[in-house]
């Protein structure tokens, strides 16, 4: 059977199959149907929501002093500067929330809902994904809620709300995948009958790469490609291998931690995420998987939680983050709090740079150019627990629909997260909504 017979097509997506493994490929002109080439390839629009816990030390640390395109970095936004032209800073936005603030602020993160009568609205990521899956934007994976394992709960709060930001039509949490290895595996199985969970487990037991399973097909395919496509193909396979090594390393480290409860920091259990370098390794692994998912068009909607809301975990070995630092419980709370938020902005920026380094199907724009990446928290000030004047970053231009990239926009007329989400959803193909959440009425009509 020829390689052309074995390449599986689904819309513009191509896959290599072998030994129960399915490796999605980036767009390659050499394999594209002639009608697709004639029409011209267009990058798909994508949505990412990036959540970080406990807010910021103070809005003055975050907000640039100038609005418009000539803003200078605030203390906490310095890491953004290498990619400033593709990031928009939004100030003055309001989100829903009430006490317990971390629980209900996290639940409101993408829903804009105050949980009236114990119910919650569908989150905007799921609204967008449902629409895409019902139309020509259908992808093998509906959406990918991701984030390291963190079993934190808040007194008198609903654990399902504080540990998730994605919610279905009935308000049920769409639980996140907490293992980067599992998230990676999901990209290479489930889109075809030949891909199977047992095959992935057997491969891992033998320490074999997903690329080993499709090695023959990859070699045969490479011989059919143009010079430019061959370079893209080789680069892609290299990136898949790097991510595979990365997630395997994180999983091995996590397994070691889970088997060594006696060596864990005080107060942790074997089911929770140890603090310190492992958190950064987890974040790096997940962001690499997220970039691959978009590159292969396996999904167009991703949510990522660095930790659960009100977490005590943070990088740099901080295990008393929530009560000991964000609540000003120690004398050096401010530099520690600032360091953690700066770390978050750095990680978010690095993720945007990964997306910007990948050319989209048109060969001109980047994945980032066709994406909108929303980054914020469940509260604004970590000590005040307020839900107004929220810290917000937007990465990308959503296929050119965001005209304000590189600017700082100040809102002052009661605009909410829900208003922003209504605009994003409309530009992602969702039929126009008259309202969203508890306060969204469509106040934001352009960006």
């Amino acid at each position: 059977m020829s390689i052309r017979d074995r390449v599986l097509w689904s819309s513009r997506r191509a896959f290599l199959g072998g030994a129960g493994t399915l490796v999605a490929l980036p767009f390659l002109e050499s394999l594209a149907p002639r009608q697709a080439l004639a029409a011209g390839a267009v990058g798909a629009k994508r949505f990412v929501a990036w959540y970080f816990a406990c807010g910021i030390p103070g809005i003055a640390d975050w907000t640039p002093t100038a609005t418009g395109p000539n803003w200078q970095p605030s203390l906490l936004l310095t890491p953004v500067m290498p990619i400033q032209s593709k990031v928009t800073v939004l100030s003055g936005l309001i989100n829903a929330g009430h006490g317990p603030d971390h629980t209900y602020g996290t639940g409101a993160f993408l829903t804009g809902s105050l949980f009236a009568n114990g119910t919650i609205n569908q989150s905007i990521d799921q609204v967008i994904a449902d629409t895409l899956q019902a139309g020509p934007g259908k992808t093998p994976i509906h959406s990918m809620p991701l984030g390291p394992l963190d079993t934190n709960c808040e007194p008198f709060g609903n654990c399902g709300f504080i540990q998730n930001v994605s919610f279905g039509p009935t308000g049920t949490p769409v639980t996140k995948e907490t293992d980067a290895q599992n998230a990676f595996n999901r990209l290479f199985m489930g889109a075809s009958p030949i891909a199977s969970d047992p095959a992935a487990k057997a491969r891992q037991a033998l320490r074999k790469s997903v690329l080993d399973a499709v090695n023959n097909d990859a070699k045969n395919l490479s011989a059919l490609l143009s010079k430019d496509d061959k370079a893209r193909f080789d680069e892609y396979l290299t990136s898949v291998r790097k991510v595979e090594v990365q997630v395997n390393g994180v999983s091995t480290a996590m397994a070691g931690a889970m088997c060594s409860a006696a060596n864990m920091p005080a107060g942790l259990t074997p089911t929770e995420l140890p603090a310190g370098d492992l958190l950064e390794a987890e974040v790096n692994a997940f962001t690499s998987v997220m970039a691959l998912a978009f590159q292969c068009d396996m999904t167009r909607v991703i949510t990522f939680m660095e930790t659960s809301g009100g977490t005590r975990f943070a990088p740099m070995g901080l295990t008393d983050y929530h009560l000991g630092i964000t609540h000003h419980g120690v004398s050096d709370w401010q530099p520690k709090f600032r360091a953690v938020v700066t770390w978050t902005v750095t990680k978010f920026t690095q993720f945007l740079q990964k997306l910007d380094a990948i050319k989209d199907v048109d060969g001109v724009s980047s994945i980032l150019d066709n994406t909108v990446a929303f980054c914020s928290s469940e509260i604004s000030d970590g000590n005040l627990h307020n839900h107004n004047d929220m810290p917000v970053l937007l990465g990308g231009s959503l296929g050119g629909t965001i005209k304000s990239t590189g600017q700082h926009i100040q809102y002052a007329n009661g605009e909410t997260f829900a208003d922003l989400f209504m605009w994003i959803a409309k530009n992602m193909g969702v039929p126009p909504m008259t309202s969203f959440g508890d306060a969204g009425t469509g106040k934001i009509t352009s960006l």
Side-chain angles (χ1 to χ4, degrees):
M1 184 178 292
S2 71
I3 182 64
R4 287 193 182 277
D5 292 329
R6 295 197 62 191
V7 171
L8 307 176
W9 282 93
S10 172
S11 181
R12 69 176 179 83
R13 288 171 291 277
F15 304 87
L16 292 177
T21 297
L22 201 64
V23 174
L25 300 178
F27 181 84
L28 300 170
E29 282 192 352
S30 305
L31 298 180
R34 291 185 178 182
Q35 60 267 32
L37 290 174
V42 178
K45 292 180 179 178
R46 307 166 180 89
F47 173 75
V48 181
W50 181 298
Y51 166 88
F52 64 94
C54 298
I56 57 178
I59 199 63
D61 283 350
W62 178 276
T63 308
T65 55
T67 57
N70 298 317
W71 62 276
Q72 295 300 308
S74 59
L75 180 66
L76 299 177
L77 297 187
T78 301
V80 170
M81 299 317 290
I83 201 168
Q84 180 186 16
S85 65
K86 297 193 175 184
V87 176
T88 306
V89 183
L90 305 182
S91 297
L93 289 178
I94 302 166
N95 198 21
H98 63 74
D101 295 285
H102 296 288
T103 297
Y104 294 107
T106 304
F109 183 69
L110 294 179
T111 66
S113 172
L114 281 173
F115 311 99
N117 300 318
T119 62
I120 186 172
N121 296 325
Q122 185 177 21
S123 56
I124 198 64
D125 62 303
Q126 295 301 297
V127 172
I128 293 171
D130 283 352
T131 298
L132 294 179
Q133 292 302 97
K138 182 178 176 64
T139 54
I141 298 174
H142 174 276
S143 57
M144 294 186 75
L146 304 171
L149 180 64
D150 181 356
T151 60
N152 186 57
C153 292
E154 191 173 22
F156 311 108
N158 185 312
C159 293
F161 292 162
I162 202 170
Q163 294 172 11
N164 299 283
V165 293
S166 294
F167 297 87
T170 62
T172 302
V174 182
T175 56
K176 61 182 180 285
E177 173 57 65
T178 60
D179 188 318
Q181 177 72 67
N182 288 343
F184 177 85
N185 287 341
R186 192 178 177 197
L187 299 182
F188 304 109
M189 65 182 67
S192 162
I194 69 171
S196 66
D197 211 36
K201 292 178 180 178
R203 185 182 65 247
Q204 291 170 29
L206 295 173
R207 297 296 188 202
K208 293 187 67 175
S209 166
V210 296
L211 299 183
D212 292 337
V214 298
N215 185 52
N216 288 336
D217 274 4
K219 288 180 179 179
N220 293 334
L221 175 59
S222 183
L224 298 174
L225 301 179
S226 66
K227 181 179 179 181
D228 288 344
D229 273 352
K230 187 177 186 303
R232 176 181 289 188
F233 183 53
D234 290 344
E235 181 181 6
Y236 170 68
L237 294 183
T238 299
S239 68
V240 170
R241 180 57 183 154
K242 286 181 178 178
V243 175
E244 188 171 33
V245 170
Q246 187 177 23
V247 298
N248 278 334
V250 169
S251 296
T252 300
M254 179 64 78
M258 297 312 170
C259 296
S260 305
N263 298 324
M264 286 186 169
L268 299 184
T269 71
T271 59
E272 292 180 312
L273 176 69
D277 292 342
L278 185 55
L279 178 57
E280 180 158 18
E282 285 271 350
V283 170
N284 290 343
F286 274 113
T287 55
S288 294
V289 171
M290 290 155 63
L292 274 182
F294 277 169
Q295 183 176 9
C296 298
D297 202 27
M298 294 295 284
T299 188
R300 296 177 186 173
V301 178
I302 297 175
T303 57
F304 178 66
M305 298 183 73
E306 283 183 9
T307 62
S308 293
T311 187
R312 57 187 176 277
F313 302 129
M316 297 164 279
L318 299 174
T319 58
D320 58 346
Y321 183 58
H322 174 214
L323 294 176
I325 296 170
T326 69
H327 285 193
H328 309 181
V330 294
S331 59
D332 58 348
W333 69 268
Q334 190 173 55
K336 287 184 176 179
F337 200 172
R338 285 172 170 171
V340 171
V341 176
T342 300
W343 175 85
T344 285
V345 175
T346 299
K347 294 288 108 180
F348 179 65
T349 299
Q350 290 172 351
F351 170 61
L352 298 184
Q353 290 173 315
K354 287 180 182 180
L355 298 185
D356 201 39
I358 304 170
K359 290 297 183 184
D360 215 333
V361 298
D362 59 6
V364 178
S365 63
S366 69
I367 297 291
L368 179 60
D369 292 331
N370 296 315
T371 298
V372 58
F374 169 78
C375 176
S376 190
S377 186
E378 82 274 22
I379 55 176
S380 181
D381 187 297
N383 192 52
L384 298 177
H385 285 201
N386 58 308
H387 302 280
N388 64 301
D389 208 357
M390 296 290 290
V392 177
L393 295 176
L394 285 185
S397 61
L398 195 57
T401 56
I402 298 177
K403 309 297 184 182
S404 60
T405 52
Q407 299 190 37
H408 171 213
I409 300 175
Q410 178 73 52
Y411 293 103
N413 295 308
E415 293 89 348
T416 66
F417 276 17
D419 291 315
L420 174 64
F421 297 153
M422 290 173 68
W423 185 89
I424 290 174
K426 178 182 177 181
N427 285 280
M428 288 285 295
V430 176
M433 297 180 284
T434 58
S435 64
F436 182 75
D438 294 341
T441 59
K443 296 185 185 72
I444 295 176
T445 57
S446 64
L447 275 174

